[in-house]
Amino acid sequence: MTAVALLDWRSADHFDASGDKPCVLCEKPTPLRSDNGKPVHKVCAEEWIDAHPAKEDER
């Protein structure tokens, strides 16, 4: 069994009421924002994390 990244985006900080912008990963519109304010779907961010595991010195 493989671990899967699950992000907790329940905070309202992850929703931008000003409107949809293209997801930086799939380019489809989303009102969601990453911790850095980038437009990205939660599922896209989780898939990206799974595909790019952190190196030891980045943890």
Side-chain angles (χ1 to χ4, degrees):
M1 180 176 240
T2 305
V4 177
L6 293 176
L7 300 173
D8 180 0
W9 279 14
R10 289 180 281 185
S11 168
D13 294 340
H14 291 287
F15 180 78
D16 185 350
S18 69
D20 289 352
K21 292 190 177 170
C23 173
V24 295
L25 297 173
C26 75
E27 300 182 1
K28 294 179 183 174
T30 181
L32 298 176
R33 302 294 182 262
S34 70
D35 289 343
N36 297 327
K38 303 280 186 193
V40 64
H41 297 103
K42 181 179 178 285
V43 170
C44 291
E46 291 168 342
E47 288 176 356
W48 188 92
I49 290 168
D50 286 341
H52 300 87
K55 296 181 177 106
E56 282 296 318
D57 58 339
E58 296 175 344
R59 292 179 188 185

